[in-house]
Amino acid sequence: MHRSGGVRYDESIVRSILVKTASADYPVYVGSGLVAGFGNHLRKITGKRAGRTFVLTSPNIWALWGRQFISGFKPGEAPEVLFMPSGERHKRLSSIERLATELSAAGADRSSLLVAFGGGIIGDTGGFLAAIYMRGIPYIQIPTTLLAQVDSSVGGKTGVNLSTGKNLVGSFHHPLAVFADTDVLRTLPARELRAGLFESVKAGIIRDPRLFRYLEEKRDQVLACEPSAMMYVVSASVKMKAEVVGIDERESGMRMVLNFGHTLGHAIEAVTGYRSLLHGEAIAWGMLAALNVCRSRHLLPEKDARRMEQLIRAYGPLPGFRAKIPALLHAAGRDKKNKAGTRRFVVTSGIGRAHVIEDVTDAELAAALEPVLNEAAR
Amino acid sequence: MHRSGGVRYDESIVRSILVKTASADYPVYVGSGLVAGFGNHLRKITGKRAGRTFVLTSPNIWALWGRQFISGFKPGEAPEVLFMPSGERHKRLSSIERLATELSAAGADRSSLLVAFGGGIIGDTGGFLAAIYMRGIPYIQIPTTLLAQVDSSVGGKTGVNLSTGKNLVGSFHHPLAVFADTDVLRTLPARELRAGLFESVKAGIIRDPRLFRYLEEKRDQVLACEPSAMMYVVSASVKMKAEVVGIDERESGMRMVLNFGHTLGHAIEAVTGYRSLLHGEAIAWGMLAALNVCRSRHLLPEKDARRMEQLIRAYGPLPGFRAKIPALLHAAGRDKKNKAGTRRFVVTSGIGRAHVIEDVTDAELAAALEPVLNEAAR
């Protein structure tokens, strides 16, 4: 396939990033045509597997991309399809129960492979299903949202929600491979694209000054979802996460920096009932609040703080919300990353640098939240 | 505490068996007074842990042993108790959901420890809860049935049932330690004791001729639950399993020999709706059928076959049941150990020896089952 701009897109334009962790190594492919070519890729990856392939997807994704997906398989070899409706409320153990029962009724065994083809909810649920079905079967991720491509599909975290909080049950289970097809981003609603970009902004802030600059300079191309821009943004974000996860698979230390903006972002999501904001938008608000903590501690040059703030706002507008400080602090106290009472918090000391502090106080967080809440309530 | 026979039982009479696997090493303590001393042992194992301790148990076990359990803790340090009713029907994801929500509402975090105090159902469910709560928290097993002591508490397999089959969802998650207190076996119903002993009989058949002989010669002491006999039987069974699991943690080969009698035993359980037989009893019937397969293949000396049969019957009587061969073969086809159509089957070639064959046919299994079903239907 050729594009008018002189940039050639075909299967050969695929970048491969290797995620290396203590427990598994696997490639993340980023590029164009990956969904349409998946049947071929699968044969290459799994060789002459005797096992069967199952796909978990959502009706929406299947309506948009199902035909392309099937097109890469030989007649009669197309995998069986399991469906899960869109929406965070389906990311629960009850879905796992239903899907596992369907797998078992269809005769899936330990040699079967599950492909999670959808956004983060499909990826997290499908990964967890693969993690616990018969105590673990292999799986492959084909993330279809930007957020899932740059964040949730890499790192091996899988899980579902409880009524008391998000991702409170789950497993570490790495995929055999991840296929991040930049083509599918074209069918993503603009708001979801922007929300996903905040994780790339975070990647720039905490570890990749070059990506940070790219997002500053190429804002228009990125927001227009231009293939070369998405290719760069997705690969750079994945590479950053792969490096961090490779150093610290189980979040004993280093991996926690990925949580920049997330302590308060998660709290904002929880307090607003996961309704008014997309995940990335809540993280963006959380990053603005985290920057206030860094500022009041004089951790980073004001120039950097301002560039970070500007970059976050450049990918807005951020939808407003209403929340009270005590409720947010209470919700932040429930974060999985807290151990036995201490509250960990990720700060930045300059573009491309982040570290974890353990002594952040409620008063500090309240002061940092106040201007953010005022702005959000306008 | 002294016994009239001149054998002294106190805390020092505790054997420790180390389970060494690729992913974790942990001790299994076998002996007397372990429940009463648990509070002390826990302090020794975990040191100055900042985290909280939660206990999952059944109302029955708690009524019998709760006071003893609590007695080893300092006032104010007793752990919080979560309950799960007895019965296989509670070993489901819905219980996991409820218990995880209770943990989260009580503020359990990644530094919390879960103690599974009960039979195999509590152990499997509690282990799985620990495996997936916040993607994994540490746990300790205090198995209170013989079956759980000699089998399910060792090896790291955790999980729950689906409507389509037992243990179809789960994780590998090793405990920090296992405390197998032979005292608690005294409150076990006689039928459950005998059912558990079939796993020890299996241990003798597949790998431990000395245990096999002990079970032949000391039948009366074992069935009377004499402390020294239980100490030997439990330690030898645990040691056998620890060795096998140490060689093959994830059941890629060697570990499968533990499944002697289980392919057909599981099928019998499934077809009889998990109602008429206890697990160990179904395994005993399954071993009798497996011996028929070995005989018709001339795999083992008739003298050994007869001793094995006699030993199984010595720990009977086995309750009868009714089942049809096609239903059993169908149920056996669903076993987790089958990979992509091949049917694996464990055979013995003599006392203390077992291996896996892959070419067992339905006709062979049918012929092996026939006399067993006739006997069971009487």
Side-chain angles (χ1 to χ4, degrees), chain A residues 274-289:
Chain A
Y274 301 98
R275 272 185 301 266
S276 16
L277 301 173
L278 296 177
H279 173 71
E281 293 164 349
I283 297 316
W285 284 116
M287 290 194 286
L288 291 174

Side-chain angles (χ1 to χ4, degrees), chain B residues 258-282:
Chain B
L258 296 174
N259 254 43
F260 180 68
H262 282 57
T263 304
L264 297 174
H266 282 158
I268 291 167
E269 284 188 284
V271 166
T272 55
Y274 302 97
R275 272 185 300 266
S276 18
L277 300 173
L278 297 177
H279 173 71
E281 294 164 348

Side-chain angles (χ1 to χ4, degrees), chain B residues 290 293-301 347-350 353 355 357:
Chain B
V293 171
C294 303
R295 267 184 170 127
S296 68
R297 285 197 176 213
H298 306 290
L299 290 176
L300 90 163
V347 291
T348 170
S349 54
R353 292 199 300 275
H355 53 270
I357 57 176

Side-chain angles (χ1 to χ4, degrees), chain A residues 50 92-93 97 101 104 109-111 132-135 157-158 163-164 168-170 251 336 338-340, chain B residues 50 92-93 97 101 104 109-111 132-135 157-158 163-164 168-170 251 336 338-340:
Chain A
R92 294 296 293 265
L93 281 174
E97 167 113 34
T101 307
S104 140
D109 66 15
R110 286 183 180 164
S111 70
I132 67 172
Y133 184 69
M134 293 192 171
R135 296 195 196 93
K157 284 190 182 179
T158 72
S163 63
T164 41
L168 285 180
V169 288
E251 205 156 49
K336 274 197 299 302
N338 292 320
K339 281 192 129 185
Chain B
R92 295 296 294 266
L93 281 174
E97 168 113 32
T101 307
S104 138
D109 65 16
R110 285 183 180 164
S111 70
I132 67 172
Y133 184 67
M134 292 191 172
R135 298 196 192 92
K157 284 190 180 179
T158 72
S163 63
T164 41
L168 285 181
V169 289
E251 204 157 48
K336 274 197 298 301
N338 293 319
K339 282 193 124 182

